[in-house]
Amino acid sequence: MLYAQTHLTLPPWVHSEVDAQRVYADDEAKVALAIMLSHRNVEHGSGGPFGAAVFDAAGHLISVGVNRVVPQTCSVAHAEMMAYMTAQSRTQQARLNENGGRYILATSAQPCCMCYGATFWTGIDELLIGASAADVMELTEFDEGPLPSDWAGELERRGITVRQGILREAAREVLRVYSLGGGKHY
């Protein structure tokens, strides 16, 4: 029999540890949430060391995501992809900004090549990044894949503002802790 559907879920702890009513007023607060998600994901053993969150222009939280690749046996269950998919489900829009709203993705680490590609079509207007891809590859065994040398410039040319290195040391610390714990690819 062929499978006709797939079902991905975030870990149950997300509901008790994320303040869905809070307004995340600045870039640091948004990235801090993504980093907290990455830390908790490692701490709870519910996935890899990556977290992401989608916000509207006013700083209201739309969705969150954490790495769920191994627990969900799905290679696309990266933090950014989970945040994108849950935001799209919540808003019922394949392209989040198609109706004129502005959306922001905050991520604990620079998107890999897959998440980078998805960013073009998801309808994100701003991308806020903690650790760099070089940080991820230095501190873990993850391969971030081939990115264009001017990956940020390509996003900017497509109207997506990119801000990098926000709370970078805190994001790097989660990667260090993950690796010190054996770096299991949950």
Side-chain angles (χ1 to χ4, degrees), residues 23 53 55 58 61 68 80 103-104 108 125 141 163:
V23 174
F55 303 88
L61 183 62
R68 299 283 288 157
E80 297 92 339
Y103 291 88
I104 301 154
S108 62
D125 300 289
E141 293 183 7
R163 292 186 191 91

Side-chain angles (χ1 to χ4, degrees), residues 98-118:
E98 71 186 341
N99 292 327
R102 290 190 53 81
Y103 291 88
I104 301 154
L105 177 76
T107 182
S108 62
Q110 179 182 328
C112 70
C113 61
M114 175 181 62
C115 298
Y116 169 76

Side-chain angles (χ1 to χ4, degrees), residues 139-161:
L139 297 168
T140 72
E141 293 183 7
F142 289 102
D143 177 358
E144 296 301 275
L147 288 167
S149 58
D150 187 25
W151 64 270
E154 186 58 39
L155 289 169
E156 296 270 353
R157 283 187 287 285
R158 293 171 180 254
I160 301 168
T161 302

